Amino acid sequence: MTTTQRLSRVNAINWNRLQDDKDLEVWNRLTSNFWLPEKVPLSNDIQSWNTLTQQEKQLTIRVFTGLTLLDTIQSSVGAPVLMEDARTPHEEAVYTNIAFMESVHARSYSSIFSTLCATRDVDDAFRWSEENPTLQAKSELILERYRSDDPLMRKVASVFLESFLFYSGFYLPMYWSSHAKLTNTADLIRLIIRDEAVHGYYIGYKFQQALAEATPERQQEVKDYAYELLLELYDNEVRYTESLYDEVGLSEDVKKFLHYNANKALMNLGYEPLFPSSVTDVDPTIMAALSPSANENHDFFSGSGSSYVIGKAIATEDDDWAF
Amino acid sequence: MLVDAAAETLTAGSIIYFSTKSGNTHRFVQKLGLTAQRLPLGRDEPMLQATTPYILITPTYGGGEAKGAVPAQVIRFLNDEHNRRLIRGVIAAGNTNFGDAYGLAGRVISEKCRVPLLYRFELFGTDDDVAKVRKGVEEFWKRQI
Ligand SMILES: Cc1cc2nc3c(=O)[nH]c(=O)nc-3n(C[C@H](O)[C@H](O)[C@H](O)COP(=O)(O)O)c2cc1C
Ligand SMILES: [Fe+2]
Ligand SMILES: [Fe+2]
């Protein structure tokens, strides 16, 4: 059924003999990006936290609890099943790094909670997460694929988790940050967002490599399953989003953020984006919170004349440059 | 190999690009459907020599930092003064998840080579990106001639 050749035995890993040099490149990137929540001065957000209404606090804690669940799944189930499917010992090693980093992410939310929130409110949110039908549904949709014996669909589900499902949650700290609130918390979330980009990229890359070896029929089947799963997850995300954000009036913009990220998740799998640009036009202040230069006019082509500025001096630090 | 430089200069839409094994940038350039040459991936392969003015398209690889943002193969290509003299603009690929470092390779090259950063796109770009770049590149060369 599958074209994936799993590793059949354990050999001592030799990082000086690579079957795929992406493994080393990504390993190096992930290890040099390593961080811990202690790096971020979360306590500087205490004052800001106290300016939120009780409703806004509850929303924020719930959103972070939902994110904690996804990181927990990825750390304890997702990365380990990908490890089973690994085709090189180095790929396996990269997943051990991903598994650990997901634990760091999950742990970070608890650091935010212990720094900012009342214990009782947090306990309430964890209880909410266990009972919330849409949160449980998304977890089940992913876990179902992880439990299946289909290495390709495991990777599809994993990329959707990494590159799509987190974003209904990531929206909120970007929103607070764009209102100059919880800015240290947002800094921490940005570290997580950066990590998730490499995770989604790498798992998607390994997916495309394995898929290329499958028969055309099998490729078509996987593609159909992938879009089907995305739409199922999407419908559920819309409900999840509305249940959380309707009361603060943000649902419609969060949905645009979902479309925008669903497209990127599909691209990580090598598939064409699904949502047209008319529904991916996320509020520019959110995009700026995500990537401060995102809205800078680098669109020289649209020719608004003054738009062209050569970037300000950037310390390049690369010794390779010879000029 | 002798090239008639004057004649070649007029072939509009010359593109030189780099893309790693994940091939996103390659895919974007294929969708553009313009004449393009890909920089060699291997460090031991002979380096490409530009023969006409060109626009460079490159992904960003610094993982959020300036160091490593421009792939080593692209740096090697630009270290050649002849290649550098022919660059007219740069387009950068990346991912906004890298925050301030989104498409940073484009900003670094723009600044070092004193050419405009023409456009940025994510991963292999949307249809909108492809249409904008195709039209933009065409008009860009018209203005250059
Ligand atoms: C290890 C790694 C580091 C990256 N660093 C950045 C970055 O600093 N800024 C950015 O905008 N994109 C960054 N990206 C995203 C890539 O530029 C993007 O995935 C691109 O489509 C890759 O192009 P390619 O497949 O043609 O090599 C990074 C990707 C990886 C895997
Ligand atoms: Fe994570
Ligand atoms: Fe992740």
Side-chain angles (χ1 to χ4, degrees), chain A residues 71 74 98 101-102 105 158 161-162 166 192 195-200 203:
Chain A
D71 276 310
Q74 201 60 347
I98 292 181
M101 237 22 238
E102 302 299 6
H105 297 171
S158 206
L161 187 152
E162 299 275 6
F166 280 120
I192 297 180
D195 291 345
E196 305 306 4
V198 182
H199 297 171
I203 299 165

Side-chain angles (χ1 to χ4, degrees), chain A residues 40-58:
Chain A
V40 182
L42 291 168
S43 59
N44 290 348
D45 281 349
I46 293 173
Q47 254 192 333
S48 175
W49 176 258
N50 291 329
T51 67
L52 302 186
T53 66
Q54 192 52 37
Q55 187 190 40
E56 291 168 340
K57 284 180 184 165
Q58 186 190 56

